[in-house]
Amino acid sequence: MVRIRLRSYGVRLDILCVVACLSTLQAIFVSSHRNYINLNSTGRPLLHEHSIEVLKQNDFGGYTVPALGLYPFQWNWDAGFIAAGWAAFDVDRAWEEMETLFSGQWADGMIPSILFWKASDTYFPGPEIWGTKENPSNSTGITQPPIAGVIVRYLYDCTARTNRRLAQQKVSKLFPKILAYHRWWYKARDPLNTGLVAIIHPWESGMDNSPAWDEALHAFPVDDIPPYEREDLKHVNASMRPSKDTYDHYLTLLYRFKAANYDPEKLYWMSPFRMTDLCTNSVLFRANRDMRFLARMLGKKEEVREINTWLRKGKERFQWLWDMDSGLFKCENQLTGKLSSARISGAFLPLFAGVASQDQAAALASNLKLWIDEVKFGVPSADPAGPVFDPVKYWSGPLWININWMISSGLRHYGYNELAEKIEMDSLTVISESGLREYFNPRTGEGAGGESFSWTAALYLAWLDGEVL
Ligand code: DGY
């Protein structure tokens, strides 16, 4: 007997049943989403088996690459979303994804944005750029949004349903490592103790070419960097990727950080790019809440107190990022003290964190409806009425499934169930119509970027068969 928790319109149905009835349960979910999911002749979602195949095909042994060729290593926040997908059919493999990620943790607590576990010549900038040709690095020297705490809580919930002891054992091994990672964030990226952390490279946000970085990125000149050849453009059309000038800025930052030996004590102060990113801070805040839950479960009182301090300070400081005029949260440029004028999908992630007031949530929900009315499928990564919106250019407009997963979860917490449902349906529809693509044109639903993309496959599975986030 297995216990399967099925989600349908945000309601948890706890059902005891034999494995054989899985397809019946899935049919309940599918029947409520019938108009949005393509089914095969036996009534199962067409992409269900294919999503599992994609994760298996992208499994390089203990870690899953985001997309063959285009992204041939393990990425930090990808690993988290991907683990949620593995959990829908192989929870041991889900834990392994996170354990592999944390085996690459630096001594100071940082989890790098990319771990170069196995050699590949299909990605730039790879290990020989982060390190040297003679002495390649085994990781980047920067990080990514810290989703690990959220995911480990999620895996705990998945596992504890059938085996609480195992769930606790798994958590107790990862908990101190995640806590060390959060401590690293506050020490290295909030040395002034404001309550919110900074990113020092657009790659750290995971939203590389978001319009939120345009002004700050172009405020410093490009250095005399070595000539380079981009590998991404061999896999994806240039119209869907960041521009050459943007890449020149990315590499300028990389080479400056490398010259400082990626010393976190120095990088915060020396970086000409220092932003309070909404996505990173919302994810960190939410991860702190999930870590507090896990700390309580493990009986770690001191740690609960420490996390509470982060939560208290973070909550206060988030208000600094609220822009009353637009009814949106905004990223802050720490070097100028100004809020960025860009309107990005990260504006809605404080709902996922749970730091928005009810009034702020109402303003966010009405803005979100306007954005979705402008396109066809939500959520575009930038305001579709904004000056630089581009529906296929990476993070300057396309719809991303991981962001939708977090925004819809946030909306449900605030009671905006209809809007959450619309975003869930849009996600299932674009995937159903266009496949497991990296991102989607929100006007047409067409796929863009990489193909057989792991987190799209993973979150499709998590939505069909997984836990409630
Ligand atoms: C890329 O290479 O596009 C990645 O987003 C960097 O982490």
Side-chain angles (χ1 to χ4, degrees):
M1 298 278 271
V2 289
R3 195 159 193 245
I4 292 173
R5 181 167 285 172
L6 181 86
R7 57 165 302 180
S8 174
Y9 288 113
V11 179
R12 286 176 182 210
L13 302 175
D14 288 339
I15 303 169
L16 277 170
C17 68
V18 290
V19 180
C21 77
L22 173 63
S23 55
T24 316
L25 294 176
Q26 204 175 60
I28 301 171
F29 177 92
V30 169
S31 64
S32 33
H33 297 74
R34 177 169 307 285
N35 297 335
Y36 309 95
I37 304 173
N38 289 333
L39 306 179
N40 68 15
S41 55
T42 62
R44 286 175 72 85
L46 211 51
L47 285 176
H48 187 267
E49 292 306 314
H50 183 51
S51 297
I52 293 177
E53 272 164 30
V54 162
L55 290 188
K56 289 185 174 167
Q57 156 209 300
N58 292 353
D59 181 358
F60 272 40
Y63 71 96
T64 314
V65 302
L68 294 176
L70 180 60
Y71 306 117
F73 307 109
Q74 188 180 33
W75 262 256
N76 176 338
W77 78 328
D78 290 69
F81 298 116
I82 289 166
W86 278 109
F89 65 100
D90 185 348
V91 79
D92 291 339
R93 181 61 188 76
W95 284 108
E96 194 185 14
E97 190 75 29
M98 300 310 287
E99 286 155 3
T100 305
L101 179 71
F102 275 85
S103 71
Q105 185 164 33
W106 283 19
D108 66 2
M110 186 180 82
I111 301 291
S113 59
I114 312 175
L115 292 153
F116 303 123
W117 294 124
K118 285 179 196 155
S120 167
D121 56 6
T122 64
Y123 181 80
F124 175 88
E128 63 297 332
I129 301 290
W130 288 92
T132 59
K133 224 180 174 113
E134 301 70 42
N135 192 12
S137 175
N138 57 8
S139 77
T140 62
I142 56 172
T143 188
Q144 262 191 336
I147 195 74
V150 177
I151 298 299
V152 166
R153 155 82 193 269
Y154 182 91
L155 298 187
Y156 171 81
D157 287 342
C158 294
T159 310
R161 270 186 274 118
T162 51
N163 192 339
R164 186 167 298 276
R165 249 176 87 110
L166 178 68
Q168 286 179 345
Q169 271 169 15
K170 290 284 188 192
V171 169
S172 57
K173 282 208 184 116
L174 284 171
F175 180 89
K177 299 180 185 194
I178 305 171
L179 194 68
Y181 183 32
H182 288 200
R183 285 179 182 147
W184 174 87
W185 267 107
Y186 289 108
K187 184 163 183 261
R189 296 305 171 74
D190 185 23
L192 298 173
N193 202 14
T194 65
L196 293 183
V197 297
I199 56 159
I200 55 166
H201 195 299
W203 282 336
E204 290 201 314
S205 69
M207 302 183 170
D208 305 3
N209 68 335
S210 166
W213 320 139
D214 285 352
E215 201 181 309
L217 207 59
H218 292 94
F220 67 91
V222 168
D223 291 345
D224 188 14
I225 51 176
Y228 64 94
E229 192 179 328
R230 283 176 60 177
E231 291 293 326
D232 58 326
L233 302 184
K234 296 181 186 162
H235 306 284
V236 174
N237 191 291
S239 65
M240 300 176 181
R241 294 287 302 175
S243 66
K244 154 128 180 66
D245 175 58
T246 307
Y247 252 77
D248 287 348
H249 281 86
Y250 295 161
L251 289 162
T252 294
L253 290 172
L254 188 164
Y255 283 112
R256 287 197 199 179
F257 298 165
K258 182 171 167 173
N261 210 17
Y262 307 113
D263 178 351
E265 302 275 327
K266 294 191 187 138
L267 296 196
Y268 175 88
W269 299 107
M270 65 171 276
S271 178
F273 179 91
R274 197 196 297 162
M275 298 291 300
T276 312
D277 169 32
L278 286 165
C279 177
T280 301
N281 279 288
S282 297
V283 166
L284 179 59
F285 193 93
R286 168 62 192 258
N288 278 329
R289 286 179 43 199
D290 286 324
M291 285 290 281
R292 181 174 59 184
F293 168 90
L294 296 173
R296 285 185 179 135
M297 184 272 295
L298 295 171
K300 293 183 176 290
K301 291 201 176 112
E302 290 239 332
E303 287 80 351
V304 169
R305 271 197 290 278
E306 183 178 9
I307 296 168
N308 271 335
T309 311
W310 294 335
L311 288 169
R312 207 168 34 248
K313 286 197 80 120
K315 188 166 185 184
E316 262 173 50
R317 188 68 183 183
F318 249 104
Q319 291 310 313
W320 192 265
L321 306 180
W322 178 247
D323 174 24
M324 183 106 77
D325 293 342
S326 61
L328 290 170
F329 285 93
K330 300 274 180 68
C331 296
E332 182 202 10
N333 183 340
Q334 293 195 4
L335 294 172
T336 62
K338 287 200 192 127
L339 292 187
S340 149
S341 58
R343 299 153 181 253
I344 58 162
S345 57
F348 306 108
L349 289 174
L351 297 171
F352 176 64
V355 289
S357 67
Q358 286 299 337
D359 285 350
Q360 288 167 339
L364 290 171
S366 64
N367 260 312
L368 188 48
K369 279 188 204 135
L370 291 176
W371 285 31
I372 297 176
D373 284 349
E374 276 280 323
V375 286
K376 194 167 167 206
F377 303 102
V379 177
S381 45
D383 180 357
V388 291
F389 174 79
D390 182 329
V392 297
K393 206 168 186 63
Y394 213 32
W395 289 94
S396 299
L399 173 168
W400 287 79
I401 296 299
N402 65 331
I403 302 301
N404 281 10
W405 199 51
M406 294 190 283
I407 292 178
S408 78
S409 160
L411 287 167
R412 286 193 183 279
H413 283 297
Y414 281 85
Y416 292 94
N417 292 337
E418 239 175 73
L419 193 51
E421 204 172 288
K422 159 78 178 143
I423 290 166
E424 288 159 13
M425 295 305 138
D426 285 359
S427 308
L428 293 172
T429 305
V430 295
I431 295 174
S432 234
E433 300 298 330
S434 303
L436 303 172
R437 298 298 299 270
E438 185 180 3
Y439 39 95
F440 300 86
N441 180 330
R443 290 204 197 287
T444 62
E446 279 166 303
E451 294 181 18
S452 299
F453 194 68
S454 292
W455 85 31
T456 304
L459 297 179
Y460 182 77
L461 291 170
W463 251 319
L464 286 186
D465 290 345
E467 270 292 325
V468 176
L469 180 61

